[in-house]
Amino acid sequence: MKSSVPTTLACALALVITADAKSRNPVVTALFAVALLVAYVIAASFVGPFCGSTTVTSAGLTLRTLLRTRVVTWPQVQAFRVSSDVDRGIDHCLVEVRLHRGRAVVLPGMVASSADDPELRSRLVELRAAWAAARPDAAIG
């Protein structure tokens, strides 16, 4: 199920702009709409890891943020790691999945103030166990 938040916001924005368009210059209205959309994308990108979710399935991981839903299959996964980060003055630890192509993807909803957080450690153990169970070479060794 895809997130309906962006569509809902876009419809609400279009309704507000249309209702108020009679009293505004069309150029100002268009600039306002673009500025609102850019602000939404920036805000959603910043809060994505904090308010999104990661679901573990037998096929892989489903990552949901305000902007999109993404599926990472187990064969794409190379490793998991906890990344301690100070970003925009906020101290936090994020769980990342490293893909075979070399890219790191932050797992939404898996954020803690410390790498020693018991809930974060528990989720990381769950991720690694599901990944190990899905690997074809896990059954051999």
Side-chain angles (χ1 to χ4, degrees), residues 48-124:
F50 297 98
C51 65
S53 66
T54 299
T55 306
V56 179
T57 66
S58 60
L61 303 170
T62 303
L63 316 176
R64 289 183 179 84
T65 65
L66 291 174
L67 295 177
R68 72 183 210 177
T69 298
R70 176 180 184 173
V71 175
V72 175
T73 61
W74 292 124
Q76 293 176 298
V77 175
Q78 183 179 17
F80 293 99
R81 78 179 192 101
V82 176
S83 168
S84 298
D85 206 4
V86 177
D87 190 22
R88 298 173 185 90
I90 301 171
D91 233 349
H92 55 277
C93 293
L94 304 169
V95 176
E96 295 178 337
V97 60
R98 172 100 23 214
L99 304 179
H100 282 290
R101 293 179 292 167
R103 184 164 182 230
V105 177
V106 174
L107 300 180
M110 299 189 69
V111 180
S113 58
S114 161
D116 296 326
D117 182 271
E119 185 177 338
L120 185 70
R121 286 287 170 199
S122 170
R123 292 291 311 269
L124 195 55

